[in-house]
C-alpha cells in the first residue's frame, strides 16, 4: 500500500488564479494535471510539495481549436485520448496522434494530459522506486543522494526523457505557451530541453497552457509521419526507445524535407542528425529510398547510445534502434504507422 | 480533513477525508466499498478501476477531493444499475464472466468487468481487437485472458440473439449453448461420480 504524503490541495478555476497560486507558493507548490505521473512520484516520495495546485477545474485549458491562420492549438489539459482522436492534430501532426495513442494504457490515456506529458519528469530504474527501495540501494544524485548508479563515477544524472509526445511534437516544430507572473510567453519546444536528468527543462514554476502546431508552409508538399515505440508490454509500458518521423513530400512523392526525433535515450529528447540531408530529393518507393532508409537506420544506430537508465537491456535497445528507425520511416512513407510490436 | 460530497453508485454521500487521500482510499477505508482492489497502487495494474462519468479510470491515482460533482460507479454499483434499468439478476457482464470461468483469484475482476461494461455501453458490438484494446489497462496474472475476452464476446452475442462462437478449447461442443446452472440458465449435465450416481 502506497500512501501520499500530506499536502494542501488548491483547485483554481482560471489560469490567472493558478499562476497566482504558483507565484505565492514558489518551490513549495506543484501542479497536478491528470496526476498519472505526479501521484506515483509523490507516493514514492520523489516529490513532497506542501501545496498541490490542480488544473482539473480550469475549463479554458481543455480542447483543440484551429485558428484562422491554420495554427492548431491544443489546451494543456486536453487528455491523451482526446489528442489521439483529434482530426486537426492528426492532419497536421500524424506522429503526435500516434504517439499519444501508444502512451500507457486506456485508463491512463483518459486521465493523462498533453501538458503533463510534455512536462513529464525524467525516468530511471534506480529512481522510480519507493523510498524504502531507494534507501536500501543507496540514494542517487537525482533525489537525496550523491552518486549515480547508471554511470559509474558520473557526476551528472542521465535519467531518460520518456514522454512519447515530445519527439513527435519536435518534428512538427511545436510552440509551447507558458504563463508566469509576467504574463504569457512562447517557447519553441526545441528550446525547452536542458540535458540534465534531474530537471530536463529550462522553464520552472510557470504554467504550460497551450501546445501550438504552427501552420505548414504553403509549398504544395504533403505531410507524412509516423511514431515507432519499443516497449516491454505492448499494452502499457513507457518507451524503451521511441522515434518520431516527419516527411514532407511533393506531388511526385519526392521528399523535400524530413525530421526524425527520438526519446528514452538521455535526459532530453534528441533530434537525429543528418536525416534530412540523407532523405531530401529521394522519391518514395524507389531503390534510392530503400538505400536512404538503410543509411538513416545505420546512422541512427551510431548516434543513439541507450544507457542502463530505463529498464530493458541497453544492448538490446541499441540493437533495436536501427530496426525501429527503418520500420518507422517505411511506415511513414506507406501511411501504415504506428510501429510497435503488438 | 474536509467534507467531500461524492456521488457513488447513484447515492449522494458526504464523507470527511484528508485532501491527500485517493479515491481508492476513500472508497475502501471510509466507505467500506472494498470491491475496488488495491493492487500496485501506482497505476500499473488496473485493479482499482472505477467509472467516473461512465469512463474507466484508476482510483489509486485520483484524488477523491477532485471527484465532487462527478458520477462514480464501482463494482458494487453494477448490479443495482442493471436492476434500475429494468434488467433482472446481475449485469450480463458479471453473468458472462461467471459462466465463462473468466476468473481465478478474482483480484482483477472488478476492474476488468467495469472496463468491459464501459466498452459495451459505448460500443455494443466490439470486435475481438476492440475488446482487447479496451481491457489492455487491466492486468490479470491468473487467467491468461482467453476466457475474459470470451466472456465479453458472450455478452455481445447474447445481446444480439446470435450464437456465440465456440471457444478455441471446445470447438465442437459449445459450452455456452448448454449454459450453466447459474442465474436462470439450464442446469449443467449431471456428472458421473465414482459410485456411478449423478453428482
Ligand atoms: C503505468 C504507467 C505507464 C505509463 N506509460 C507512459 C508511456 O508509455 N509514455 C509516456 O509518455 N508516459 C507514460 N506514463 C506517464 C503519464 O501517464 C503520461 O506521461 C501523462 O501524459 C502525464 O500527464 P498527467 O496529466 O497525468 O501529468 P501529471 O502527473 O499531472 O504531471 C506530470 C508533471 O508535469 C507537471 N505538469 C503537468 N501539467 C502541467 C502544466 N500544464 N504546466 C506545468 N507543469 C505541468 C506536473 O507538475 C508534474 O511534474 C505512464 C504512467 C503510468 C502510471
Ligand atoms: S541516472 Fe538514474 S541513478 Fe543516475 S542519478 Fe539519475 S536517476 Fe539516479
Ligand atoms: S491499484 Fe490502481 S492501477 Fe494498480
Ligand atoms: S483472476 Fe487473478 S488476477 Fe485475474
Amino acid at each position: 500500500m502506497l500512501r501520499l504524503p500530506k499536502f494542501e490541495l488548491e483547485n483554481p478555476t482560471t489560469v490567472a488564479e493558478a499562476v497566482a497560486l504558483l507565484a505565492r507558493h514558489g518551490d513549495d507548490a506543484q501542479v497536478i494535471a491528470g496526476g498519472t505521473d505526479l501521484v506515483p512520484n509523490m507516493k514514492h516520495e520523489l516529490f513532497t510539495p506542501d501545496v498541490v495546485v490542480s488544473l482539473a477545474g480550469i475549463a479554458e485549458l481543455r480542447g483543440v481549436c484551429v485558428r484562422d491562420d491554420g495554427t492548431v492549438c491544443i489546451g494543456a489539459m486536453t487528455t491523451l485520448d482526446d489528442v489521439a482522436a483529434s482530426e486537426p492534430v492528426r492532419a497536421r501532426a500524424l506522429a503526435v496522434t500516434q504517439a499519444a495513442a501508444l502512451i500507457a494504457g486506456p485508463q491512463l490515456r483518459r486521465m493523462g494530459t498533453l501538458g503533463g506529458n510534455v512536462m513529464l519528469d525524467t525516468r530511471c530504474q534506480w529512481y522510480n522506486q519507493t523510498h524504502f527501495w531507494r534507501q536500501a540501494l543507496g540514494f542517487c544524485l537525482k533525489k537525496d543522494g550523491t552518486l549515480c548508479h547508471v554511470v559509474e563515477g558520473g557526476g551528472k544524472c542521465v535519467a531518460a526523457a520518456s514522454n512519447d509526445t515530445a519527439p513527435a511534437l519536435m518534428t512538427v516544430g511545436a510552440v509551447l505557451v507558458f504563463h508566469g507572473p509576467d504574463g504569457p510567453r512562447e517557447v519553441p519546444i526545441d528550446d525547452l530541453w536542458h540535458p540534465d536528468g534531474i530537471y530536463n527543462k529550462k522553464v520552472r514554476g510557470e504554467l504550460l497552457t497551450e501546445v501550438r502546431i504552427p501552420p505548414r508552409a504553403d509549398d504544395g508538399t504533403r505531410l507524412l509521419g509516423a511514431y515507432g515505440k519499443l516497449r516491454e508490454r505492448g499494452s502499457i509500458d513507457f518507451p524503451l526507445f521511441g522515434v518520431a518521423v516527419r516527411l514532407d513530400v511533393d506531388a511526385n512523392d519526392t521528399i523535400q524535407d524530413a525530421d526524425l526525433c527520438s526519446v528514452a535515450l538521455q535526459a532530453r529528447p534528441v533530434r537525429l542528425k543528418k536525416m534530412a540531408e540523407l532523405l531530401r530529393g529521394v522519391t518514395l518507393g524507389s531503390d534510392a529510398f530503400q538505400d536512404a532508409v538503410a543509411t538513416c537506420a545505420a546512422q541512427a544506430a551510431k548516434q543513439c547510445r541507450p544507457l542502463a537508465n530505463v529498464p530493458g537491456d541497453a544492448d538490446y535497445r541499441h540493437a533495436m534502434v536501427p530496426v525501429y528507425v527503418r520500420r518507422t520511416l517505411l511506415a511513414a512513407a506507406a501511411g501504415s504507422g504506428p510501429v510497435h510490436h503488438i | 480533513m474536509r467534507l467531500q460530497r461524492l456521488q457513488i453508485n447513484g447515492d449522494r454521500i458526504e464523507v470527511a477525508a484528508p485532501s491527500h487521500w485517493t479515491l481508492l482510499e476513500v472508497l475502501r477505508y471510509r466507505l467500506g466499498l472494498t470491491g475496488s482492489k488495491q493492487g500496485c497502487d501506482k497505476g500499473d495494474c488496473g485493479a482499482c478501476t472505477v467509472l467516473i462519468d461512465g469512463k474507466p479510470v484508476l482510483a489509486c491515482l485520483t484524488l477523491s477531493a477532485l471527484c465532487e460533482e462527478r458520477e462514480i460507479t464501482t463494482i458494487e454499483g453494477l448490479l443495482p444499475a442493471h436492476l434500475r434499468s429494468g434488467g433482472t439478476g446481475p449485469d450480463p457482464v458479471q453473468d458472462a464472466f461467471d459462466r465463462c470461468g473468466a476468473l481465478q483469484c478474482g483480484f482483477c475482476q472488478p476492474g476488468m468487468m467495469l472496463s468491459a461494461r464501459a466498452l459495451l455501453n459505448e460500443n455494443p458490438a466490439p470486435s475481438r481487437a476492440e475488446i482487447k484494446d479496451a481491457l489492455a489497462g487491466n492486468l490479470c496474472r491468473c487467467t491468461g485472458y482467453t476466457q475474459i475476452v470470451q466472456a465479453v464476446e458472450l455478452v455481445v452475442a447474447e445481446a444480439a440473439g446470435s450464437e456465440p462462437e465456440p471457444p478455441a478449447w471446445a470447438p465442437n461442443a459449445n459450452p455456452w449453448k448448454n449454459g450453466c446452472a447459474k442465474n436462470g440458465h439450464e442446469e449443467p449435465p449431471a456428472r458421473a461420480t465414482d459410485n456411478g450416481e449423478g453428482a
Side-chain angles (χ1 to χ4, degrees):
Chain A
M1 183 155 141
L2 294 167
R3 307 302 299 265
L4 279 166
K6 273 195 187 139
F7 54 77
E8 284 309 314
L9 184 65
E10 294 285 358
N11 199 3
T13 52
T14 64
V15 167
E17 269 178 72
V19 169
L21 282 164
L22 291 178
R24 183 174 340 135
H25 295 289
D27 287 347
D28 295 335
Q30 186 119 19
V31 166
I32 188 167
T36 60
D37 182 49
L38 186 65
V39 172
N41 287 353
M42 288 199 295
K43 286 185 171 186
H44 288 163
E45 294 176 43
L46 299 169
F47 298 103
T48 49
D50 293 335
V51 180
V52 170
V53 179
S54 167
L55 306 182
I58 310 182
E60 60 189 294
L61 291 180
R62 279 181 202 276
V64 178
C65 71
V66 186
R67 291 234 204 102
D68 288 345
D69 70 353
T71 306
V72 176
C73 302
I74 313 169
M77 285 297 286
T78 310
T79 63
L80 296 169
D81 233 15
D82 288 345
V83 170
S86 165
E87 187 46 43
V89 182
R90 201 196 65 76
R92 293 278 299 290
L94 189 52
V96 173
T97 47
Q98 292 183 359
L102 288 186
I103 288 172
Q107 295 96 321
L108 289 157
R109 285 195 295 273
R110 250 175 237 122
M111 303 169 70
T113 64
L114 184 64
N117 195 249
V118 170
M119 298 304 284
L120 193 79
D121 190 19
T122 55
R123 295 185 62 85
C124 173
Q125 54 186 332
W126 316 108
Y127 167 75
N128 295 99
Q129 303 287 355
T130 60
H131 185 271
F132 173 81
W133 194 103
R134 291 184 292 117
Q135 185 175 36
L137 179 78
F139 294 119
C140 77
L141 266 177
K142 183 159 158 74
K143 181 66 186 159
D144 301 329
T146 51
L147 50 83
C148 174
H149 301 300
V150 173
V151 182
E152 213 178 318
K156 203 168 175 190
C157 171
V158 291
S162 302
N163 37 358
D164 286 296
T165 65
L169 288 167
M170 282 166 68
T171 60
V172 291
V175 173
L176 310 173
V177 183
F178 284 96
H179 272 72
D182 302 331
R185 65 179 175 128
E186 294 191 349
V187 178
I189 192 164
D190 276 1
D191 297 346
L192 178 67
W193 315 111
H194 177 62
D196 179 358
I198 293 180
Y199 188 73
N200 72 344
K201 295 156 202 90
K202 288 183 193 151
V203 179
R204 193 190 276 272
E206 288 174 51
L207 196 64
L208 172 62
T209 53
E210 200 169 86
V211 177
R212 291 185 186 153
I213 302 172
R216 280 172 59 73
D218 193 13
D219 56 3
T221 58
R222 199 155 50 88
L223 170 85
L224 299 176
Y227 187 67
K229 174 166 176 173
L230 174 70
R231 55 177 166 177
E232 271 171 356
R233 294 165 296 184
S235 58
I236 190 153
D237 288 310
F238 278 95
L240 300 181
F241 174 68
V243 60
V245 170
R246 171 178 59 84
L247 300 175
D248 294 330
V249 298
D250 67 12
N252 303 320
D253 274 358
T254 301
I255 299 173
Q256 299 299 319
D257 196 15
D259 195 10
L260 276 78
C261 295
S262 67
V263 78
L265 294 167
Q266 31 174 294
R268 53 160 298 165
V270 190
R271 169 161 291 111
L272 300 182
K273 297 187 201 93
K274 299 205 189 98
M275 297 292 142
E277 285 90 323
L278 290 167
L279 290 162
R280 255 185 228 128
V282 175
T283 301
L284 302 184
S286 65
D287 289 346
F289 179 62
Q290 295 295 334
D291 293 346
V293 168
T295 315
C296 288
Q299 269 290 333
K302 280 193 196 142
Q303 293 174 31
C304 301
R305 294 269 158 212
L307 300 165
N309 45 12
V310 298
D313 179 71
D315 290 338
Y316 164 70
R317 286 165 56 220
H318 191 212
M320 286 299 111
V321 167
V323 176
Y324 272 72
V325 168
R326 177 169 53 78
R327 288 186 187 168
T328 311
L329 270 168
L330 293 175
S336 63
V339 175
H340 66 137
H341 63 285
I342 287 193
Chain B
M1 197 72 70
R2 63 184 245 192
L3 198 65
Q4 299 175 9
R5 288 184 184 79
L6 302 176
Q7 232 188 110
I8 302 177
N9 300 330
D11 295 331
R12 286 177 186 283
I13 293 172
E14 289 197 348
V15 57
S19 301
H20 66 282
W21 274 36
T22 63
L23 177 60
L24 186 61
E25 286 167 327
V26 169
L27 289 173
R28 292 180 60 88
Y29 307 121
R30 279 285 193 267
L31 303 174
L33 294 171
T34 52
S36 306
K37 297 300 173 213
Q38 197 158 17
C40 64
D41 224 358
K42 59 194 178 87
D44 287 320
C45 73
C48 64
T49 301
V50 298
L51 307 186
I52 297 190
D53 298 335
K55 304 254 193 248
V57 295
L58 303 177
C60 74
L61 301 186
T62 303
L63 298 178
S64 89
L66 296 176
C67 294
E68 293 186 297
E69 294 163 41
R70 316 281 302 270
E71 177 74 50
I72 299 161
T73 308
T74 69
I75 192 65
E76 288 90 347
L78 215 48
L79 182 146
H82 182 60
L83 297 181
R84 270 199 307 276
S85 63
T88 51
D91 186 291
V93 170
Q94 293 173 305
D95 187 34
F97 270 66
D98 177 10
R99 284 156 59 208
C100 293
L103 73 161
Q104 287 178 32
C105 80
F107 210 75
C108 67
Q109 293 308 295
M112 201 65 93
M113 293 195 283
L114 286 168
S115 285
R117 172 39 64 213
L119 166 71
L120 295 174
N121 287 349
E122 215 167 82
N123 175 4
S127 66
R128 183 167 292 184
E130 286 169 332
I131 294 170
K132 285 186 171 177
D133 248 18
L135 300 182
N138 295 87
L139 307 190
C140 175
R141 58 174 189 182
C142 304
T143 62
Y145 301 99
T146 308
Q147 274 101 323
I148 292 174
V149 175
Q150 273 162 2
V152 183
E153 288 179 339
L154 180 61
V155 182
V156 173
E158 290 191 337
S162 60
E163 191 144 304
E165 288 276 311
W169 45 267
N172 303 318
N174 191 338
W176 319 144
K177 223 166 122 186
N178 298 329
C180 288
K182 308 273 168 51
N183 312 321
H185 294 277
E186 273 175 45
E187 290 292 326
R191 228 177 276 148
T193 56
D194 283 345
N195 62 12
E197 292 171 15

